[in-house]
Amino acid sequence: MNTLAASTNHLDFTLAQQLTVIVLAALTAFISHMALAVFNDGTRPFMLDFIQGRSSRSATAAVSFGLSAGFIFGLGAPMALSSGVLNPWLLFLPTDILGILAFRKWLAPLLGGAWGALIVFGLGGTNNLAHKLPVDFLTAMQQMSTPILFLFTLFPVLAITKQFGRARGGIAAVIELAFVIMTMKLWPNVFAGSLAMAAGVLMLIGFAVRKDLLQRKADRAAFAAEGTTDTGPQEADPDDPMVSLFSASAARLRRYLPLFMLLGAGVCALAQMHIFGGGEATSFLIAKGQYSEAAQVDFYRVFGFIPLIATTALASGAYGIAGFTLVYPIGYLMPNPILAAVVGAVVFALEVLALSYIGKLPSVRDSSEHLRSAITETLSLAILFGSLLAANVMGGGLAILIVGGLYLINEAMGRPVVRMAAAPAAVIVGGILLNVLYWLDLFTPVKG
């Protein structure tokens, strides 16, 4: 698959799109101020101390900034500039910080709205300015799309291998490769990894169901041998402090159901406008106009994050800004923003009402751990490889030395910038440095 053409990554928004981004940024900042939801999964566990008054607003905001800064500047901004599509790291992580930091309710939406306005009015100008530089590192960063899209296809294979062994992982790899080749040959206009990912996820689910059935059969045989009866899952002890905490958190979130429905409506409507992608691979698919493939990719990601979001929400009392992220793929496929808003509100309502039940499914939690690990590993490799491709395009060996060197230095220093964000950030820093060297007459841009 070819990388994006330079002409496709514009960050020009219509008035309706601008207003949607600004209002949604204001809303998400207000919700984070109320400690009802945050986007960063790492910040969410710290929200319980804040809700219960054991941590100050400024201290919690400092934690949120520390956990989010690398993703905002190292992943969110580079992805938006290179793909021309907004993403949750750029839009929602800053509103987490601003909302928590705001010391008054009325200030939170003002700060969030200001951030939304900065994105819609300032990002395009930054994008246009960067394209006029002698070393156009943003166009070079579009080289990241191919490795991200294709290597992400393998995450079900990694998850199967980790959970069910090398033999089944090898079978899944062969099947996925066959689907990729078949799709490229028979349907060249379809993203080649879409059917392969579908096959991989279905295999993972099939293996998990089979394992559960065999385990249940073995348990029944053991009970029969002992002369006892399998009574199924035991009722939770109502005196268990975790049960009490989970129940209180679920009840707290249900009290604000109308606000969550408004949030779901806004996120789903934004996704429908096709100026927003929920993930790294999705951003480039949206930029290419492949909305059904983008919906498929984000739908598969849901399986890996539902248990994480559910359990951290029940343990902390703060939900996810994008919920279980189902509103992303649904929004991509909706015919208009109004219908997307209605459906998004309904989806969020169902998620909040079902939250306490989803968090109690141990089999889902077990599978999700392998999925999340596989997604992280595939994307980390894809982003690193894509960043080195971008470096080669913008400056050949010298750029590879700079970008790869910055990445390795970050690793040696204990990763002050999170690994997934380090390589894109290194491309931007390297691009700026190459432009400085050009102005000092020490570097000649690579022609291509």
Side-chain angles (χ1 to χ4, degrees), residues 233-248 360:
Q234 299 298 311
E235 290 294 326
D237 181 3
D239 295 325
D240 187 336
M242 287 305 296
V243 173
S244 177
L245 174 61
F246 276 29
S247 299
K360 296 176 183 177

Side-chain angles (χ1 to χ4, degrees), residues 11-382:
L11 284 162
D12 298 323
F13 305 101
T14 65
L15 178 60
Q17 292 168 345
Q18 291 171 347
L19 292 176
T20 300
V21 171
I22 293 171
V23 171
L24 184 58
L27 176 62
T28 54
F30 177 75
I31 288 176
S32 69
H33 172 86
M34 298 284 289
L36 292 173
V38 289
F39 181 78
N40 193 322
D41 295 323
T43 302
R44 199 171 300 117
F46 293 93
M47 297 303 290
L48 181 63
D49 286 342
F50 174 64
I51 292 169
Q52 296 181 347
R54 294 193 297 268
S55 177
S56 67
R57 185 172 292 279
S58 58
T60 308
V63 169
S64 181
F65 179 82
L67 293 171
S68 301
F71 287 102
I72 296 170
F73 301 108
L75 187 62
M79 279 290 172
L81 290 170
S82 59
S83 68
V85 175
L86 300 179
N87 58 69
W89 304 285
L90 182 65
L91 187 57
F92 298 144
L93 288 180
T95 59
D96 279 0
I97 301 166
L98 294 172
I100 297 171
L101 187 62
F103 53 86
R104 293 287 186 272
K105 284 185 180 180
W106 58 266
L107 183 59
L110 285 180
L111 292 175
W115 176 255
L118 180 63
I119 290 176
V120 296
F121 295 117
L123 204 60
T126 302
N127 182 62
N128 295 333
L129 177 63
H131 283 304
K132 295 178 181 178
L133 294 173
V135 180
D136 185 357
F137 55 89
L138 293 186
T139 297
M141 288 184 72
Q142 293 169 20
Q143 297 289 327
M144 296 171 64
S145 66
T146 299
I148 287 174
L149 290 175
F150 278 88
L151 287 177
F152 185 72
T153 301
L154 292 174
F155 82 85
V157 174
L158 269 65
I160 290 171
T161 305
K162 289 174 179 291
Q163 191 168 5
F164 300 107
R166 289 176 290 182
R168 293 180 181 178
I171 293 171
V174 171
I175 292 175
E176 283 211 7
L177 178 60
F179 269 106
V180 169
I181 294 172
M182 181 182 70
T183 305
M184 295 177 73
K185 184 68 175 178
L186 300 179
W187 305 289
N189 294 325
V190 175
F191 169 49
S194 58
L195 291 179
M197 276 189 288
V201 171
L202 288 174
M203 290 180 67
L204 177 63
I205 294 172
F207 289 145
V209 170
R210 182 176 182 274
K211 181 180 179 181
D212 288 344
L213 291 176
L214 291 175
Q215 184 63 48
R216 184 175 300 177
K217 184 178 179 179
D219 290 342
R220 287 175 177 170
F223 279 119
E226 295 173 2
T228 57
T229 303
D230 182 5
T231 58
Q234 299 298 311
E235 290 294 326
D237 181 3
D239 295 325
D240 187 336
M242 287 305 296
V243 173
S244 177
L245 174 61
F246 276 29
S247 299
S249 296
R252 177 178 185 264
L253 295 176
R254 285 196 297 270
R255 286 199 302 271
Y256 292 93
L257 189 61
L259 193 58
F260 282 115
M261 292 177 69
L262 184 61
L263 176 62
V267 176
C268 199
L270 181 66
Q272 191 283 329
M273 293 177 174
H274 301 147
I275 60 169
F276 174 90
E280 299 88 340
T282 316
S283 294
F284 290 107
L285 288 171
I286 292 292
K288 295 171 183 287
Q290 296 177 319
Y291 308 132
S292 59
E293 288 88 348
Q296 187 176 343
V297 168
D298 271 355
F299 179 73
Y300 297 145
R301 289 174 65 108
V302 170
F303 293 104
F305 289 91
I306 282 182
L308 172 67
I309 295 169
T311 52
T312 55
L314 291 170
S316 67
Y319 195 35
I321 286 294
F324 296 144
T325 69
L326 277 169
V327 288
Y328 293 163
I330 291 172
Y332 304 149
L333 300 177
M334 288 289 105
N336 60 72
I338 295 176
L339 181 59
V342 173
V343 175
V346 172
V347 168
F348 250 56
L350 294 175
E351 288 180 6
V352 172
L353 293 174
L355 190 61
S356 56
Y357 300 100
I358 295 172
K360 296 176 183 177
L361 298 175
S363 59
V364 177
R365 288 197 298 269
D366 183 56
S367 299
S368 71
E369 184 64 32
H370 296 288
L371 278 170
R372 288 198 307 276
S373 174
I375 288 171
T376 300
E377 288 184 23
T378 52
L379 286 176
S380 295
L381 176 61

